[in-house]
Amino acid sequence: MKALRSLRQLLEIRNLRADNLSRSLSEARADVERAREGETKASEALDIAANRAAGNPVVDALRKDGVLSAAELQDALMRQSVLRSHEADAGISLEQRKATRLATQERAEQAAADFSRAQKAVLRTEFSLEAAEKLTPRTGVGQDH
C-alpha cells in the first residue's frame, strides 16, 4: 500500500507539473502571436518611413517653382534628413521586433518540449500505478504489515 500511495503522489505531482507546463505553453504561444503582431506593425512603420524618405523635397520644390531660396533649400534638406532618421529608427525597431519574436518562438518551442516530456512522465507513472494496483491484490506486494 505504501508503494501505491507513493505512486499516486508521484502521479499527482506529475499531473500538476504537466498542467503548469500546459499553461506556460499557452502563454508562450500567445507571446509569439503578440511578437508577430509587433513585428508586422514595425514592418509597416518601416515601409511608411521608407516611402516618406524616398520622396526628395528639394527636387519636388525645384520642379514646382524652378528656383529655391537658400532657406527653402536648407529646410528641405533638414526635412529629408529627419525622414531618413525616422526610416533608420524604424529599421532598428523592426530588427529588434524580429529578435524578440525569434526568442519568444524559441521559448515556446522549449515549453512545448517540456510539456511533451511531462505528459510522457505522467503516462509512465500511470502505467506503473496500474501495474502496481494489479499486482497488489493478487500477490500482496507493497502492502503494509
Side-chain angles (χ1 to χ4, degrees):
M1 291 302 230
K2 190 174 187 178
L4 286 176
R5 211 172 316 125
S6 295
L7 279 173
R8 285 187 185 110
Q9 287 174 340
L10 179 61
L11 179 60
E12 185 177 335
I13 290 167
R14 287 186 171 173
N15 274 324
L16 289 172
R17 171 124 172 92
D19 288 345
N20 287 338
L21 288 171
S22 175
R23 279 191 288 283
S24 293
L25 178 57
S26 295
E27 291 169 4
R29 287 179 175 158
D31 289 345
V32 168
E33 187 55 36
R34 281 190 296 277
R36 276 193 188 112
E37 290 170 3
E39 183 180 353
T40 299
K41 288 178 183 176
S43 179
E44 291 168 0
L46 176 60
D47 290 344
I48 291 168
N51 286 335
R52 286 180 181 163
N56 190 335
V58 175
V59 173
D60 293 343
L62 283 173
R63 281 191 198 141
K64 288 179 189 172
D65 302 331
V67 177
L68 285 176
S69 70
E72 289 173 325
L73 180 59
Q74 185 177 0
D75 183 51
L77 291 173
M78 289 296 288
R79 277 186 279 141
Q80 188 68 22
S81 176
V82 168
L83 291 173
R84 294 276 183 216
S85 175
H86 289 310
E87 180 184 17
D89 291 345
I92 290 169
S93 176
L94 176 59
E95 290 305 313
Q96 290 172 338
R97 297 288 182 143
K98 283 182 181 180
T100 299
R101 179 188 48 82
L102 290 173
T104 304
Q105 268 182 290
E106 246 179 66
R107 284 193 302 274
E109 290 168 3
Q110 184 61 48
D114 291 346
F115 178 62
S116 178
R117 283 191 296 277
Q119 283 181 312
K120 289 175 185 173
V122 167
L123 285 175
R124 286 192 306 270
T125 306
E126 286 174 346
F127 292 146
S128 296
L129 182 58
E130 286 175 15
E133 286 173 342
K134 287 179 184 176
L135 290 175
T136 300
R138 281 188 276 149
T139 62
V141 172
Q143 290 182 348
D144 291 331
H145 289 65

